[in-house]
Amino acid sequence: MLLAGLDIGSTGCKITVYSQEGTFLGRIYQDYPVGRSHSEHEVDPKAIWDAVRDIIQKAAKVYPCIGGIGIASFGESFALLDQQDRILFPAMLYTDSRGETEAEELAQKLGRERIIEITGTSPAAMYSLPKLMWIRKNKPDIWACTDKILLMEDYIVYMLTGKRQIDYSLAARTMAFDIQTLCWSDELCEAAGVDKTLFSQPVATGTSAGRVKPILCEELGLAPDTLIVSVSHDQVAAAVGSGIFDESCAVDGAGTVECITPVFSSFDATKLAEGKYAVIPYITPGKYVCYAFLFTGGSLIDWCVKSIAGYAKIKADETGKRIYNVLEEEWDGNPTDLLLLPHFAGAATPYMDTGCRGAILGLSLEHTERDIYIACMEAICLELRLNIEKLQSAGVTVDTLRAVGGGAKSNAWMQMKADILNIPITVLASEEAGAAGCAMLVGVACGIFKDIHSAAEILVVPKHTYLPRAAYHSAYENKYQKYLRLYDAVRPLM
């Protein structure tokens, strides 16, 4: 039996296949269009469903023994379906500003502290509930026809199996879910004017939704007993796939967006909310995670490579080396004399300021593309340190990291992170932590693994650990103190 993880992203989806012995076999990806115009950022749920069917069909042809598929997805965005399961409205992305007035309305009705107490989140337009309020007010004809509200995980689960269930971690991204009772909040839904029965049934992460519909098995080329599993929000899947189950460690997802996900059982909800950290129920009962993230992680590095590093590209072509290696090979581990604010796509935690923009300070005619490239890496690490210290002030400690994603391939960047953060960082053999997490939970649901810890012993493989170097940490201390003042100094000018 083969185990598959289906990851639904905001711009594309991919299915990744593993053997039950934990061997990565391959992946298939397909993107879909995203519409962006001024404040409206949307994706068509039907396009997502079509892409999912296509990649499952392709995977089934190459890997005919898929026994189970675990589904994880991006958060907040939802599909509205009528009684005939027709899509009524595009799915609004978290960056869509519709719902700002409604989020403030909820805060006025219930109080910010009460909403934080129930949901673990500070009221904001990015979440599902304020956007649903906007539709109810501004699209009454559509709202009147709404029979189901499905986020992307439970939308795909429903389309494949006919069962409506959503895991706790994704439900928490709606701002309508009580993270203590693990139920939809009557108080919030009533205040928002949203019938809670329109949402799917909340279930624990990794709960089986049953078999694929027989008619779809034939269309997709799947066996009749193929199991579908509700996994989680994509960042939670990455934590599971990194073997993060207690407070001893956090995962650093070094992808397009840089995200640190720690696990904890006790916390100061108010302080976490002040830093815009949303609390999410985790796979282990009584434990939670939150996300400390940058909108520009790997995307900032890619911008630098594509926009600035022309000479390095020529050298890479001449030598056959990767351009990243060319840019990093002469770095000696010491700080640059540049100060860079990495908010090229807005500021994420602890600011959540989408209007902020990036800045590079200290440039002279002597600086090179390599200096700017290294400064980009430094800025991401410094922003992560700022976030980790904010988390610590709220009772969430990060002592070690496990790194996954494309950025984890860079020896220089991983060593820099260890030095600046002053904690050990272990790179895992698998870059696809989210897919591995899906496969682990599918394996448990199918009875291949006794439990999630047994699955982790097979699929979570440490590759190399980078230890912090005291001298280099000390060298970065002065730069970090300057960095702490950078946002406040630059933001008023934008």
Side-chain angles (χ1 to χ4, degrees):
M1 176 188 292
L2 303 182
L3 311 173
L6 180 60
D7 183 4
I8 313 298
S10 59
T11 60
C13 59
K14 63 184 173 185
I15 187 167
T16 308
V17 183
Y18 294 84
S19 73
Q20 64 186 55
E21 292 78 28
T23 303
F24 166 78
L25 299 177
R27 74 177 64 85
I28 297 170
Y29 173 85
Q30 183 164 318
D31 58 13
Y32 25 78
V34 173
R36 298 183 190 272
S37 60
H38 191 51
S39 62
E40 297 185 1
H41 300 169
E42 301 173 334
V43 62
D44 180 6
K46 176 64 163 54
I48 294 177
W49 171 232
D50 289 343
V52 164
R53 289 187 4 236
D54 186 58
I55 62 173
I56 290 178
Q57 192 174 55
K58 289 176 180 175
K61 287 181 180 178
V62 181
Y63 311 105
C65 298
I66 294 174
I69 303 173
I71 299 174
S73 79
F74 66 106
E76 299 89 40
S77 301
F78 51 84
L80 299 182
L81 273 62
D82 66 11
Q83 290 186 340
Q84 287 74 45
D85 292 340
R86 292 175 297 204
I87 297 293
L88 296 171
F89 198 72
M92 293 184 280
L93 299 177
Y94 72 96
T95 52
D96 191 304
S97 64
R98 285 172 290 183
E100 287 181 350
T101 300
E102 289 71 21
E104 188 58 34
E105 180 183 324
L106 280 175
Q108 293 295 324
K109 277 186 179 181
L110 301 180
R112 291 185 182 276
E113 291 296 322
R114 180 56 181 156
I115 294 173
I116 292 167
E117 180 184 355
I118 296 170
T119 67
T121 65
S122 182
M126 71 181 290
Y127 298 111
S128 313
L129 194 61
K131 287 178 165 42
L132 288 165
M133 292 173 65
W134 184 93
I135 292 174
R136 179 175 61 79
K137 290 179 182 180
N138 294 278
K139 304 289 182 180
D141 293 344
I142 288 172
W143 187 253
C145 296
T146 298
D147 184 64
K148 306 172 189 70
I149 301 169
L150 305 167
L151 274 69
M152 292 306 112
E153 173 205 71
D154 51 315
Y155 169 57
I156 297 302
V157 167
Y158 174 68
M159 296 301 287
L160 287 171
T161 68
K163 190 165 187 178
R164 291 174 57 197
Q165 65 178 43
I166 182 172
D167 97 288
Y168 298 148
S169 71
L170 197 64
R173 302 305 293 171
T174 62
M175 211 183 89
F177 188 69
D178 190 323
I179 64 170
Q180 305 295 336
T181 63
L182 302 177
C183 296
W184 298 113
S185 168
D186 289 328
E187 191 173 347
L188 270 160
C189 289
E190 288 172 8
V194 174
D195 183 353
K196 70 176 184 179
T197 63
L198 296 175
F199 290 111
S200 299
Q201 175 65 37
V203 296
T205 296
T207 298
S208 169
R211 311 296 177 188
V212 178
K213 295 175 184 177
I215 191 170
L216 278 175
C217 283
E218 183 176 349
E219 175 192 332
L220 302 177
L222 295 170
D225 59 349
T226 304
L227 198 67
I228 299 299
V229 176
S230 297
V231 176
S232 64
H233 188 216
D234 48 16
Q235 298 295 347
V236 167
V240 172
S242 301
I244 309 295
F245 303 123
D246 55 41
E247 290 87 341
S248 65
C249 194
V251 59
D252 173 28
T256 301
V257 172
E258 186 94 10
C259 182
I260 288 181
T261 306
V263 178
F264 49 90
S265 53
S266 60
F267 56 94
D268 185 324
T270 301
K271 282 192 174 181
L272 283 176
E274 287 173 358
K276 312 300 188 295
Y277 304 109
V279 180
I280 310 295
Y282 195 44
I283 186 171
T284 308
K287 294 192 183 298
Y288 303 86
V289 298
C290 68
Y291 310 135
F293 64 102
L294 291 75
F295 292 131
T296 48
S299 59
L300 179 59
I301 302 302
D302 286 344
W303 166 83
C304 183
V305 167
K306 293 175 182 176
S307 302
I308 296 176
Y311 175 73
K313 185 180 187 306
I314 293 171
K315 188 174 180 182
D317 291 341
E318 290 174 348
T319 61
K321 296 179 180 178
R322 296 176 72 240
I323 189 170
Y324 307 98
N325 294 337
V326 171
L327 288 164
E328 296 166 11
E329 61 188 1
E330 294 181 14
W331 179 62
D332 62 3
N334 286 302
T336 69
D337 57 356
L338 296 176
L339 202 57
L340 189 146
L341 190 66
H343 301 161
F344 284 46
T349 58
Y351 310 105
M352 294 310 294
D353 178 2
T354 56
C356 190
R357 290 294 177 264
I360 306 174
L361 281 70
L363 280 170
S364 71
L365 294 175
E366 285 73 38
H367 286 108
T368 66
E369 58 188 8
R370 178 178 284 107
D371 297 321
I372 298 175
Y373 176 85
I374 297 299
C376 287
M377 296 199 305
E378 289 175 339
I380 293 166
C381 297
L382 293 167
E383 186 89 338
L384 289 178
R385 180 175 169 183
L386 182 154
N387 273 278
I388 286 174
E389 291 184 356
K390 290 281 188 182
L391 290 172
Q392 288 172 337
S393 71
V396 177
T397 302
V398 177
D399 293 324
T400 61
L401 285 177
R402 290 184 176 177
V404 296
K409 294 178 181 178
S410 169
N411 297 330
W413 200 6
M414 292 301 102
Q415 185 60 63
M416 180 192 289
K417 277 186 185 177
D419 293 339
I420 291 176
L421 302 181
N422 203 30
I423 57 176
I425 299 178
T426 298
V427 173
L428 300 181
S430 173
E431 293 178 30
E432 299 280 357
C438 289
M440 288 160 62
L441 288 165
V442 169
V444 173
C446 292
I448 302 299
F449 308 125
K450 182 178 72 172
D451 53 34
I452 198 65
H453 297 281
S454 302
E457 290 177 2
I458 294 175
L459 274 93
V460 181
V461 181
K463 184 178 178 182
H464 181 76
T465 297
Y466 296 85
L467 300 175
R469 301 172 296 182
Y472 292 96
H473 177 70
S474 178
Y476 269 105
E477 190 60 31
N478 181 54
K479 185 164 199 165
Y480 178 62
Q481 295 306 317
K482 292 180 181 178
Y483 186 81
L484 290 175
R485 305 195 299 272
L486 185 58
Y487 173 82
D488 289 335
V490 172
R491 185 63 179 97
L493 302 175
M494 299 178 189

